[in-house]
């Protein structure tokens, strides 16, 4: 360097310093992931009922560094952690609640339905007042649709599960939902999503709406040959004919790959029938499911598994009673409460009184006439 002119020397030093600064900037930019392609987040465990997809190691490192500030998880990571915690809790509860055949009885409630003196209390009372069915409560999973329902459920029942909200859905499911409103539709379709997940985990389920009173063991009326057993709003005599009008508020399903596919098709069909609830969509596609997927559905006779839609009123033959064809929480509570009082009176009769003929309830109601 002894022979280089001063002006040339200054230019060379400036060039070297500029290159060094640029190199440092490039290093820090690459370390923070700036300019790199977007990382791929894990898929939520509730999307299409599948388990979470792990992030690739290199992407996970980028995702972790970009998603935490001072050790605080980003909303995306927090959501993923919450979904995984819900999945773990569901699996734990299913193992606890399932019977020796891996069958779970389940119902769902929001805060309005779970409130003291509301449908959940009446539903649980029906097991205690029924004929040799109190033990079914040990295998009952109550799905809470909001935090208020979860708190109330835990006060009256040991097996309660908080359903994670659907992405983009309404966060407030605590109030009574008007029939066929958007909130109502989101609520009933979230039920199908959970049912599919339970099947994927290898468990059979009997879903029962909370406005169904249990009086006797409904499994006695179910065929082992059926993949699915549904109650009927209207029954026309052939238990395997899809002509019957199903009510998916009382639904037994055996776990299998076939049934997981049926539920996937059912949920996908929602897009083809916008504005319809899950039972209406099932009614639209039931013939196709039978013909193309080999689905065997047993429809229960309304003589045994009845509802307000029909006129079955003989306690001697009754297994369950559904407050269908009845709109409004107050109306359901009024009529089911009267029905429970008369059932208790029936239970107090001796065998001779019961054998004399049909034992019908006498009290007219808001929906029962």
């Amino acid at each position: 360097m002894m022979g280089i002119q001063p002006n040339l020397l200054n230019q060379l030093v400036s060039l070297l310093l500029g290159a060094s600064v640029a190199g440092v900037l490039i290093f820090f930019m690459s370390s923070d992931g700036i300019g790199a392609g977007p990382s791929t987040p894990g898929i939520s465990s509730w999307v299409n009922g599948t388990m979470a997809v792990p992030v690739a190691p290199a992407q996970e490192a980028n995702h972790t560094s970009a998603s935490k500030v001072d050790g605080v998880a980003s909303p995306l990571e927090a959501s993923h952690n919450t979904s995984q915690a819900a999945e773990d809790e569901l699996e734990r509860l299913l193992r606890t609640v399932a019977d020796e055949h891996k069958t779970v009885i389940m119902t769902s409630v929001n805060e309005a339905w779970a409130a003291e003196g509301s449908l959940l209390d009446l539903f649980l009372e029906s097991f205690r007042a029924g004929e040799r069915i109190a033990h079914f409560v040990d295998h009952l999973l109550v799905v809470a649709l909001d935090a208020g329902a979860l708190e109330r459920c835990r006060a009256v029942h040991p097996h309660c599960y908080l359903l994670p909200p659907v992405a983009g859905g309404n966060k407030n499911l605590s109030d009574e939902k008007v029939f066929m409103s958007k909130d109502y539709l989101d609520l009933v379709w979230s039920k199908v999503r959970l049912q599919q997940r339970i099947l994927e985990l290898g468990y059979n389920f009997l879903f029962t709406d909370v406005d169904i009173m249990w009086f006797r063991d409904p499994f006695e009326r179910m065929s082992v040959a059926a993949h699915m057993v549904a109650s009927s709003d209207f029954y026309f005599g052939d238990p395997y004919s899809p002509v019957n009008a199903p009510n998916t508020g009382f639904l037994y399903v055996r776990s299998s790959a076939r049934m997981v596919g049926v539920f996937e098709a059912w949920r996908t069909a929602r897009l083809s029938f916008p504005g319809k609830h899950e039972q209406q969509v099932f009614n639209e596609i039931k013939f196709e499911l039978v013909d193309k997927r080999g689905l065997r559905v047993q429809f229960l006779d309304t003589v045994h598994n009845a509802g307000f839609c029909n006129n079955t009123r003989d306690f001697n033959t009754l297994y369950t009673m559904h407050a269908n064809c009845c709109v409004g929480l107050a109306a359901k509570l009024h009529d089911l409460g009267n029905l429970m009082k008369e059932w208790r009176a029936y239970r107090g009769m001796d065998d001779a009184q019961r054998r004399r003929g049909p034992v019908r309830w006498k009290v007219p109601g808001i929906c029962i006439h």
Side-chain angles (χ1 to χ4, degrees):
M1 301 237 328
M2 294 292 294
I4 301 176
Q5 296 295 326
N7 187 45
L8 180 60
L9 179 61
N10 290 338
Q11 292 178 4
L12 181 60
V13 170
S14 298
L15 177 63
L16 291 174
L17 285 174
S20 299
V21 171
V24 170
L25 286 173
I26 291 171
F27 172 78
F28 280 108
M29 289 173 67
S30 63
S31 296
D32 288 339
I34 300 174
S39 61
T40 304
I43 299 175
S44 168
S45 60
W46 288 103
V47 176
N48 293 329
T50 59
M51 296 295 289
V53 176
V55 182
Q59 294 173 328
E60 186 173 12
N62 288 338
H63 176 64
T64 302
S65 62
S67 64
K68 288 190 177 182
V69 178
D70 296 329
V72 178
S74 71
L76 178 62
E77 186 175 20
S79 176
H80 173 77
N81 292 340
T82 299
S83 295
Q84 188 57 53
E87 175 81 359
D88 294 342
E89 176 68 359
L90 176 62
E91 293 189 42
R92 183 191 70 79
L93 283 167
L94 291 174
R95 288 193 300 269
T96 301
V97 173
D99 67 9
E100 65 273 22
H101 305 296
K102 297 194 73 175
T103 298
V104 174
I105 300 169
M106 56 185 294
T107 191
S108 61
V109 292
N110 64 2
E111 187 173 358
W113 298 337
E116 185 174 0
S118 192
L119 288 172
L120 180 59
D121 286 351
L122 199 56
F123 177 73
L124 293 173
E125 181 185 350
S126 75
F127 288 91
R128 295 189 292 269
E131 293 185 354
R132 299 181 299 277
I133 59 172
H135 64 283
F136 283 131
V137 175
D138 296 334
H139 304 292
L140 172 65
L141 177 64
V142 177
V143 178
L145 304 176
D146 55 71
L150 181 66
E151 181 180 1
R152 169 64 180 154
C153 175
R154 286 175 171 170
V156 296
H157 187 65
H159 311 304
C160 307
Y161 174 71
L162 180 62
L163 182 67
V166 180
N170 185 8
K171 306 302 181 186
N172 179 21
L173 295 176
S174 60
D175 299 327
E176 178 186 358
K177 298 307 172 190
V178 177
F179 183 66
M180 295 308 295
S181 66
K182 181 182 183 303
D183 289 349
Y184 174 86
L185 294 175
D186 287 344
L187 188 153
V188 296
W189 279 105
S190 69
K191 174 184 71 176
V192 180
R193 177 171 55 94
L194 175 62
Q195 290 171 347
Q196 180 181 332
R197 186 69 192 125
I198 290 173
L199 295 175
E200 290 171 342
L201 291 171
Y203 293 89
N204 318 309
F205 70 79
L206 172 55
F207 179 85
T208 167
D209 277 344
V210 75
D211 62 344
I212 295 178
M213 301 295 99
W214 285 44
F215 301 118
R216 295 181 173 91
D217 179 359
F219 290 102
E220 294 178 359
R221 312 304 311 180
M222 298 182 188
S223 170
V224 296
H227 301 127
M228 172 187 287
V229 180
S231 61
S232 309
D233 279 342
F234 301 99
Y235 179 76
F236 299 107
D238 180 354
Y240 287 97
S241 172
V243 171
N244 295 302
N247 189 303
T248 56
F250 192 83
L251 187 69
Y252 170 75
V253 183
R254 286 193 290 115
S255 177
S256 67
R258 181 199 305 271
M259 294 312 301
V260 170
V262 165
F263 270 70
E264 189 68 40
W266 186 4
R267 292 176 57 210
T268 301
R270 181 185 184 183
L271 299 175
S272 300
F273 302 96
K276 291 194 174 185
H277 60 63
E278 94 291 3
Q279 181 175 301
Q280 291 173 321
V281 173
F282 182 81
N283 203 45
E284 294 282 357
I285 66 173
K286 60 186 178 181
F287 288 95
E288 180 181 354
L289 293 175
V290 170
D291 293 340
K292 295 185 178 180
R293 292 183 176 268
L295 176 64
R296 289 196 301 274
V297 187
Q298 178 193 1
F299 297 88
L300 294 172
D301 192 332
T302 53
V303 168
H304 306 295
N305 298 93
F308 292 175
C309 292
N310 50 72
N311 198 32
T312 303
R313 297 192 178 188
D314 185 0
F315 278 134
N316 282 330
T317 65
L318 200 59
Y319 280 70
T320 61
M321 172 59 76
H322 191 180
N324 54 7
C325 293
C326 186
V327 178
L329 177 58
K332 290 175 183 284
L333 282 171
H334 179 274
D335 286 15
L336 290 176
N338 283 343
L339 182 63
M340 182 56 62
K341 290 176 184 177
E342 296 215 19
W343 169 258
R344 288 189 177 277
Y346 167 80
R347 291 276 283 154
M349 294 180 179
D350 59 35
D351 291 341
Q353 288 176 298
R354 296 184 184 186
R355 284 195 298 267
R356 279 199 288 268
V359 181
R360 302 178 183 274
W361 55 86
K362 311 172 187 64
V363 180
I366 298 172
C367 298
I368 298 177
H369 300 289

Short mmCIF file of all heavy atoms in Angstrom, two decimals, residues 1-16:
data_model
loop_
_atom_site.label_atom_id
_atom_site.label_comp_id
_atom_site.label_asym_id
_atom_site.label_seq_id
_atom_site.Cartn_x
_atom_site.Cartn_y
_atom_site.Cartn_z
N MET A 1 0.84 -1.19 0.00
CA MET A 1 0.00 0.00 0.00
C MET A 1 0.89 1.26 0.00
O MET A 1 0.37 2.34 -0.11
CB MET A 1 -0.90 0.00 1.25
CG MET A 1 -1.76 -1.24 1.27
SD MET A 1 -3.51 -1.09 1.36
CE MET A 1 -3.92 0.31 2.26
N MET A 2 2.21 1.08 0.19
CA MET A 2 3.09 2.26 0.28
C MET A 2 3.05 3.06 -0.99
O MET A 2 3.20 4.26 -0.96
CB MET A 2 4.55 1.82 0.58
CG MET A 2 4.72 1.18 1.94
SD MET A 2 4.48 2.36 3.26
CE MET A 2 5.91 3.46 3.00
N GLY A 3 2.86 2.45 -2.18
CA GLY A 3 2.96 3.17 -3.43
C GLY A 3 1.63 3.70 -3.94
O GLY A 3 1.59 4.29 -5.01
N ILE A 4 0.49 3.53 -3.18
CA ILE A 4 -0.82 3.97 -3.68
C ILE A 4 -1.06 5.41 -3.32
O ILE A 4 -0.74 5.87 -2.23
CB ILE A 4 -1.93 3.10 -3.06
CG1 ILE A 4 -1.72 1.63 -3.42
CG2 ILE A 4 -3.30 3.58 -3.49
CD1 ILE A 4 -2.69 0.73 -2.78
N GLN A 5 -1.61 6.18 -4.26
CA GLN A 5 -1.86 7.59 -4.04
C GLN A 5 -2.92 7.77 -2.94
O GLN A 5 -3.84 6.96 -2.77
CB GLN A 5 -2.38 8.23 -5.34
CG GLN A 5 -1.37 8.21 -6.46
CD GLN A 5 -0.15 9.08 -6.15
OE1 GLN A 5 -0.29 10.11 -5.49
NE2 GLN A 5 1.02 8.64 -6.58
N PRO A 6 -2.86 8.84 -2.13
CA PRO A 6 -3.81 9.07 -1.03
C PRO A 6 -5.27 9.06 -1.48
O PRO A 6 -6.12 8.49 -0.83
CB PRO A 6 -3.38 10.45 -0.51
CG PRO A 6 -1.95 10.58 -0.87
CD PRO A 6 -1.78 9.86 -2.17
N ASN A 7 -5.60 9.75 -2.63
CA ASN A 7 -7.00 9.79 -3.07
C ASN A 7 -7.52 8.40 -3.41
O ASN A 7 -8.64 8.03 -3.08
CB ASN A 7 -7.11 10.70 -4.29
CG ASN A 7 -8.56 10.91 -4.70
OD1 ASN A 7 -9.39 11.15 -3.85
ND2 ASN A 7 -8.82 10.83 -6.00
N LEU A 8 -6.67 7.63 -4.08
CA LEU A 8 -7.05 6.25 -4.42
C LEU A 8 -7.22 5.42 -3.17
O LEU A 8 -8.11 4.57 -3.08
CB LEU A 8 -5.96 5.65 -5.34
CG LEU A 8 -6.21 4.22 -5.80
CD1 LEU A 8 -7.53 4.13 -6.57
CD2 LEU A 8 -5.04 3.76 -6.67
N LEU A 9 -6.34 5.66 -2.18
CA LEU A 9 -6.43 4.91 -0.91
C LEU A 9 -7.75 5.20 -0.22
O LEU A 9 -8.43 4.29 0.29
CB LEU A 9 -5.26 5.29 0.00
CG LEU A 9 -5.23 4.61 1.38
CD1 LEU A 9 -5.13 3.09 1.21
CD2 LEU A 9 -4.07 5.15 2.21
N ASN A 10 -8.17 6.46 -0.18
CA ASN A 10 -9.44 6.81 0.47
C ASN A 10 -10.61 6.13 -0.22
O ASN A 10 -11.55 5.66 0.42
CB ASN A 10 -9.63 8.33 0.44
CG ASN A 10 -8.66 9.04 1.37
OD1 ASN A 10 -8.15 8.42 2.30
ND2 ASN A 10 -8.42 10.34 1.11
N GLN A 11 -10.59 6.07 -1.55
CA GLN A 11 -11.69 5.42 -2.28
C GLN A 11 -11.75 3.94 -1.97
O GLN A 11 -12.83 3.35 -1.84
CB GLN A 11 -11.48 5.64 -3.79
CG GLN A 11 -11.65 7.08 -4.24
CD GLN A 11 -11.40 7.25 -5.72
OE1 GLN A 11 -11.18 6.26 -6.42
NE2 GLN A 11 -11.45 8.49 -6.20
N LEU A 12 -10.57 3.31 -1.85
CA LEU A 12 -10.54 1.87 -1.55
C LEU A 12 -11.09 1.59 -0.17
O LEU A 12 -11.85 0.64 0.04
CB LEU A 12 -9.09 1.36 -1.67
CG LEU A 12 -8.87 -0.13 -1.42
CD1 LEU A 12 -9.70 -0.95 -2.42
CD2 LEU A 12 -7.40 -0.48 -1.54
N VAL A 13 -10.71 2.42 0.83
CA VAL A 13 -11.21 2.22 2.20
C VAL A 13 -12.73 2.38 2.22
O VAL A 13 -13.45 1.60 2.85
CB VAL A 13 -10.55 3.23 3.15
CG1 VAL A 13 -11.25 3.21 4.52
CG2 VAL A 13 -9.08 2.90 3.32
N SER A 14 -13.27 3.38 1.54
CA SER A 14 -14.72 3.59 1.51
C SER A 14 -15.45 2.40 0.89
O SER A 14 -16.51 1.98 1.34
CB SER A 14 -15.05 4.85 0.70
OG SER A 14 -14.47 5.98 1.31
N LEU A 15 -14.85 1.85 -0.17
CA LEU A 15 -15.45 0.69 -0.84
C LEU A 15 -15.53 -0.50 0.09
O LEU A 15 -16.53 -1.19 0.18
CB LEU A 15 -14.65 0.35 -2.10
CG LEU A 15 -15.10 -0.89 -2.88
CD1 LEU A 15 -16.53 -0.66 -3.41
CD2 LEU A 15 -14.14 -1.16 -4.04
N LEU A 16 -14.41 -0.75 0.83
CA LEU A 16 -14.37 -1.90 1.75
C LEU A 16 -15.36 -1.73 2.89
O LEU A 16 -16.05 -2.67 3.29
CB LEU A 16 -12.95 -2.09 2.29
CG LEU A 16 -11.90 -2.55 1.28
CD1 LEU A 16 -10.52 -2.54 1.90
CD2 LEU A 16 -12.25 -3.94 0.78
#
